[in-house]
Amino acid sequence: MEEQQVSAKSAVAIPSPFRTREEKAREREEKREAVLRAAVRMFNARGFHATSLDDVAASLGISKPTIYHYLGNKEQVLIECVTRGLEMLRAAADEARAGEGNGLARLGYFLRRYGAVIMDDFGACVVRTGDECLSADGAILFRSRKRDIDLAMRGLIADAVADGSIAPVDVKLAAFTLAGALNWAARWRDPAGAMSAEAIAAAQVDLLIAGLAPRG
């Protein structure tokens, strides 16, 4: 009887060779992230039209149907990439609005975060992607999400003008100028360079903010 109890306990102690639901979900998300990261880097390096899903699949040693399984077709993959970048920018704007300090301090925080995000793979994809890469519906969605970021930047500029922490400016023109200056880093920054994305963004924003200072 005692031997049977020991045997039963031993059987229970044997770990299951089958993955739990949580483990399966985590593994799926890790694979999906790997595919997405490989795709966005290839889109940034070669351009959307010059990149095929066969190229992405080959870089990971998987089949093209595997990409369809995790992300969908080529345009769906691109939309996922730019959406990720735009969500990062949206989060930065929300953090800036909720932050402490005057309008200039909140604007400066957003611009530094914006500059760093733009040098991330997904942020760079936002800058490098043109409407012509997408279907009509995809282009409408892309423009709408980019406009949200533009309006968020304009709102932060307007707040800084209102509290006098920056000089009165044309808010729309200022937003276009700031975004345009920061966006170029997505094209010229060398990821292997000595300066981090955060350091470059901070230095850029210091230069740009100087032009917004109140006039004596």
Side-chain angles (χ1 to χ4, degrees), residues 14-157:
I14 297 174
S16 171
F18 300 99
R19 291 167 298 162
T20 64
R21 181 178 299 177
E22 292 75 15
E23 288 172 336
K24 289 179 180 178
R26 184 168 59 251
E27 181 179 293
R28 176 183 174 82
E29 185 56 32
E30 288 172 352
K31 289 179 178 178
R32 187 176 186 278
E33 181 67 19
V35 172
L36 194 62
R37 185 68 67 171
V40 74
R41 288 175 177 171
M42 206 164 283
F43 290 155
N44 288 341
R46 301 183 181 182
F48 177 72
H49 292 302
T51 300
S52 71
L53 291 188
D54 285 318
D55 296 329
V56 177
S59 73
L60 293 170
I62 59 176
S63 65
K64 185 161 70 173
T66 300
I67 297 179
Y68 291 144
H69 173 69
Y70 286 112
L71 290 166
N73 63 31
K74 185 178 169 183
E75 181 178 32
Q76 289 171 316
V77 174
L78 179 62
I79 288 176
E80 185 74 18
C81 291
V82 296
T83 296
R84 176 78 66 87
L86 289 166
E87 286 175 347
M88 294 164 70
L89 293 172
R90 181 83 243 180
D94 291 342
E95 291 168 9
R97 276 199 300 268
E100 298 180 351
N102 60 18
L104 176 59
R106 293 194 298 275
L107 175 62
Y109 175 88
F110 173 66
L111 293 176
R112 287 188 291 274
R113 291 292 305 124
Y114 183 104
V117 168
I118 287 301
M119 286 179 271
D120 175 82
D121 291 327
F122 295 107
C125 193
V126 173
V127 173
R128 290 169 176 267
T129 298
D131 293 353
E132 70 280 358
C133 296
L134 301 166
S135 65
D137 289 342
I140 290 172
L141 178 64
F142 184 42
R143 285 195 296 268
S144 173
R145 290 176 174 171
K146 285 202 300 183
R147 179 165 176 76
D148 286 343
I149 306 304
D150 174 55
L151 292 176
M153 184 182 290
R154 292 191 204 184
L156 289 164
I157 295 169

